[in-house]
Amino acid sequence: PSIDHSGALPSVDMMLLGTGDDGHCGCIYPDSPEVKLTGLGKIVVPVTGTDAVAVTVDFMCAAKVVVVSAAGSNRAPMVAKALSGNYGDFDCPAGLVDAKEETIWFVDEDSVAEFDEMQDDDDFDDDEDD
């Protein structure tokens, strides 16, 4: 089935999410009232100051597979932040996305360059400890 109702939240098989260089994912923005609803089991919420609605981070995480799209050098700091886990509770919604089975980051060389540099630095630090 494309929608699974057996869990606490309905779940879709796959979700494709866009991101912004500020760390927003879908229509969930950093430090917004909407991201602060994470963990409360909501599915859809109104987006403050608009006529729009958004699916919540909880619903994003209930999906079996999530593809997070983040291409371009302008997203490099956000990708590094999200993939490293170095962010506050609500300041990088893209980093909060953790699908039930698999979360796939769809990036290009420019957007992942800063994260790769962090990994290379960590590898260098690990070599020094030997």
Side-chain angles (χ1 to χ4, degrees):
S2 59
I3 299 179
D4 179 354
H5 292 282
S6 64
L9 290 174
S11 171
V12 294
D13 292 337
M14 184 177 172
M15 184 178 295
L16 172 63
L17 296 170
T19 61
D21 56 5
D22 62 354
H24 82 264
C25 193
C27 288
I28 304 295
Y29 289 86
D31 298 311
S32 67
E34 296 79 25
V35 74
K36 292 177 181 175
L37 295 172
T38 300
L40 299 180
K42 305 272 185 200
I43 299 168
V44 178
V45 294
V47 178
T48 304
T50 72
D51 292 332
V53 295
V55 297
T56 63
V57 173
D58 293 343
F59 184 74
M60 295 173 189
C61 292
K64 292 180 180 105
V65 176
V66 175
V67 178
V68 181
S69 174
S73 61
N74 61 318
R75 288 184 176 79
M78 179 276 294
V79 170
K81 182 188 232 185
L83 294 180
S84 72
N86 287 332
Y87 51 84
D89 290 342
F90 303 114
D91 67 2
C92 188
L96 298 174
V97 177
D98 184 20
K100 289 287 183 198
E101 294 176 12
E102 187 173 18
T103 304
I104 301 165
W105 279 75
F106 189 74
V107 296
D108 60 11
E109 287 183 15
D110 291 336
S111 65
V112 79
E114 197 169 312
F115 179 71
D116 284 345
E117 287 174 19
M118 290 171 60
Q119 295 301 103
D120 290 344
D121 289 346
D122 286 348
D123 290 344
F124 179 74
D125 291 343
D126 290 343
D127 290 342
E128 286 183 346
D129 293 339
D130 293 337

